[in-house]
Amino acid sequence: MNSRRKEKRTMPNRDPNNWQWLLEYMPIALVSVVTFAMAFVRGVHEGGGFKRSLLGAVMCALLATPLFPVFLWIAESQGWPPIIALPPCVFLAFLGTDWIREKADGLYEVLLAFVTKWLK
């Protein structure tokens, strides 16, 4: 039988809190993954090609990830649990980039009409 030996090596350069940074960014990573998955599944379900669905999912994840801290701030300021910030990001992924593009085009048309009317 092997007797258990105490290891005499010390770990002066090792910090037990090294994984803390990963735990701090875990909610943002979770939002990115869930948003990406939701947008990708919706894109495939609508009959879009693989590349189109993949690009739409990446765009939704890139849109939702910076919005998550805003939703988190709103939830914390209202006294709600932080998990409440996740559904708006996933809802954004469900709407997809096509819906966002349509709304942005409509807003552009309204602003363009306002500017041309103002310049006349």
Side-chain angles (χ1 to χ4, degrees):
M1 294 192 144
N2 288 338
S3 62
R4 294 188 178 195
R5 292 183 279 166
K6 287 188 176 180
E7 201 166 306
K8 294 182 180 180
R9 293 186 298 174
T10 59
M11 297 175 30
N13 297 332
R14 310 281 178 156
D15 184 14
N17 296 323
N18 275 345
W19 291 95
Q20 187 63 34
W21 65 272
L22 181 64
L23 293 175
E24 290 173 2
Y25 289 105
M26 189 63 81
I28 294 174
L30 176 68
V31 165
S32 298
V33 168
V34 170
T35 303
F36 177 85
M38 182 68 188
F40 184 74
V41 168
R42 182 168 190 255
V44 170
H45 178 69
E46 286 181 344
F50 178 76
K51 288 182 183 179
R52 182 179 171 107
S53 299
L54 187 64
L55 183 60
V58 168
M59 291 303 296
C60 282
L62 289 175
L63 286 171
T65 303
L67 287 176
F68 178 69
V70 174
F71 293 132
L72 189 62
W73 173 74
I74 291 171
E76 288 176 354
S77 68
Q78 296 296 323
W80 300 333
I83 196 67
I84 296 296
L86 181 65
C89 296
V90 177
F91 183 69
L92 177 67
F94 180 75
L95 292 176
T97 55
D98 293 332
W99 182 83
I100 294 169
R101 186 182 320 114
E102 289 173 11
K103 295 300 178 188
D105 285 344
L107 181 62
Y108 174 74
E109 292 294 327
V110 168
L111 288 176
L112 186 63
F114 176 75
V115 169
T116 55
K117 183 180 175 184
W118 182 67
L119 289 176
K120 286 184 179 182

